[in-house]
Amino acid sequence: MNKLVRDDGRTHIASKLMRESLVDRKVIARTHTDHEFEIMPNVVLVGIGGQSIFDRGKEALLPLVDELSGLRGKHKMMIGVGGGTRVRHTVSIALDLGVPTGGVAQLVGAMEEANAVFLNALLAKHRSIVMQREHFWELPLYIENGMLPIVISIPPYHFWEPPPEDGPLPAHGSDFGLFILAEVLGMSRVIFVKDEDGMYTRDPKKHADAKLVKRTTLEAMLAAMPEDLMLDRQLFSAWRNARHVKRVQIVNGLKRGELTRAMAGEDAGTIIEREEAAHV
């Protein structure tokens, strides 16, 4: 039974956090642990790009749906979806109306939910299911029963999206949201499905001399961040303090079999690893 302390007129449960401020740096340092419980360590999070895949229509999406259906029985995975061009349209209208940053983030999430429902209609016969916002406690149940959960990408900040450093746009985008979801649930791998062969030194759509990066580390990325990035910059900033995600991979969803190779652990697309994980 926990000991109760009442020596200052209040009742405390005796612990190392008693009478402490949870924002005190010394208190935070004392609570650090290398043994954090991993909820879903064997699940891979697959993020499907909104503009890069969904907006291209059935030519891009149907072959990917077929590939995902074949992977469901072989791997434990969860799918995250982006909102695509509808997000840009929605944000434009919201900014014209003066909607604050948190409200814009809420609207963006609603646009992604439309793509989640759409993808679920295509995958329903393969036991997919849309996870409602913040129903994280249901995910292990879905996975252990052989189902294929589909989630939205935008973090569930809703109206409490932190103010961005520049401009009114939410700083935390879809890529960042999926990364954080994977980290919180204890996943070690995130695979982003885009419309390029991986990450380049520059935007290949604008620069003919752009070079494909086959393999790199988080440390190398932070030391020399490319000007044009396929993923949210906040993802790499947050990754420095992450404990669970060891690998982020980017593959071309327009090329059949690339996602299958990545799920099997092969060197498809671009692989980014934390340096300490590269030797495991």
Side-chain angles (χ1 to χ4, degrees):
M1 180 177 294
N2 291 319
K3 180 181 178 181
L4 299 181
V5 180
R6 300 185 176 90
D7 59 357
D8 63 351
R10 295 173 294 179
T11 300
H12 302 274
I13 298 176
S15 75
K16 60 184 178 182
L17 299 180
M18 186 175 65
R19 300 191 185 95
E20 296 285 5
S21 168
L22 297 182
V23 295
D24 186 285
R25 290 185 180 274
K26 293 181 180 179
V27 174
I28 294 173
R30 291 203 304 269
T31 60
H32 179 78
T33 176
D34 293 325
H35 304 287
E36 199 168 86
F37 181 77
E38 298 173 342
I39 300 174
M40 303 171 72
N42 299 319
V43 178
V44 179
L45 182 53
V46 178
I48 302 178
Q51 279 192 310
S52 54
I53 301 297
F54 278 93
D55 288 357
R56 291 178 178 272
K58 66 178 183 180
E59 288 76 13
L61 195 55
L62 290 183
L64 187 59
V65 165
D66 188 49
E67 190 169 359
L68 286 168
S69 66
L71 289 169
R72 184 192 63 81
K74 301 175 183 177
H75 304 276
K76 291 184 177 181
M77 62 182 182
M78 184 165 62
I79 302 175
V81 302
T85 300
R86 289 196 311 277
V87 168
R88 275 73 177 173
H89 295 163
T90 302
V91 169
S92 178
I93 295 172
L95 295 181
D96 284 345
L97 294 173
V99 176
T101 302
V104 175
Q106 176 82 338
L107 293 172
V108 170
M111 292 301 100
E112 292 187 338
E113 285 178 342
N115 274 352
V117 171
F118 174 48
L119 182 61
N120 185 58
L122 298 174
L123 281 168
K125 62 183 179 181
H126 301 290
R127 303 189 69 185
S128 66
I129 185 170
V130 176
M131 185 197 84
Q132 299 301 313
R133 289 193 192 192
E134 301 176 7
H135 283 218
F136 300 114
W137 59 86
E138 296 175 357
L139 285 172
L141 177 64
Y142 297 155
I143 295 293
E144 292 307 314
N145 281 277
M147 302 179 77
L148 185 58
I150 302 174
V151 301
I152 64 172
S153 305
I154 290 295
Y157 290 134
H158 302 328
F159 293 106
W160 301 105
E161 165 77 27
E165 295 181 3
D166 300 306
L169 294 177
H172 302 97
S174 296
D175 302 329
F176 171 86
L178 289 179
F179 174 84
I180 290 299
L181 179 60
E183 173 65 20
V184 168
L185 294 175
M187 300 179 186
S188 62
R189 289 200 292 155
V190 183
I191 300 174
F192 290 100
V193 181
K194 303 288 187 178
D195 60 354
E196 298 287 353
D197 290 334
M199 185 178 66
Y200 287 77
T201 54
R202 307 174 75 184
D203 188 345
K205 294 182 174 67
K206 301 177 182 178
H207 306 282
D209 61 344
K211 296 180 179 179
L212 178 65
V213 178
K214 293 291 293 181
R215 183 182 287 271
T216 187
T217 65
L218 170 63
E219 289 72 20
M221 290 287 298
L222 294 173
M225 192 75 73
E227 182 177 346
D228 296 314
L229 274 175
M230 297 184 71
L231 304 178
D232 298 332
R233 293 180 183 274
Q234 289 79 9
L235 184 157
F236 298 100
S237 300
W239 200 359
R240 289 182 298 185
N241 300 317
R243 301 183 182 184
H244 303 295
V245 176
K246 302 298 188 297
R247 171 188 284 202
V248 169
Q249 197 162 357
I250 306 168
V251 299
N252 193 338
L254 303 180
K255 292 185 176 180
R256 182 67 178 263
E258 288 295 283
L259 176 58
T260 299
R261 292 179 57 208
M263 288 293 296
E266 298 182 21
D267 292 351
T270 294
I271 295 175
I272 308 170
E273 293 181 298
R274 293 189 65 160
E275 203 159 68
E276 63 268 29
H279 305 292
V280 174

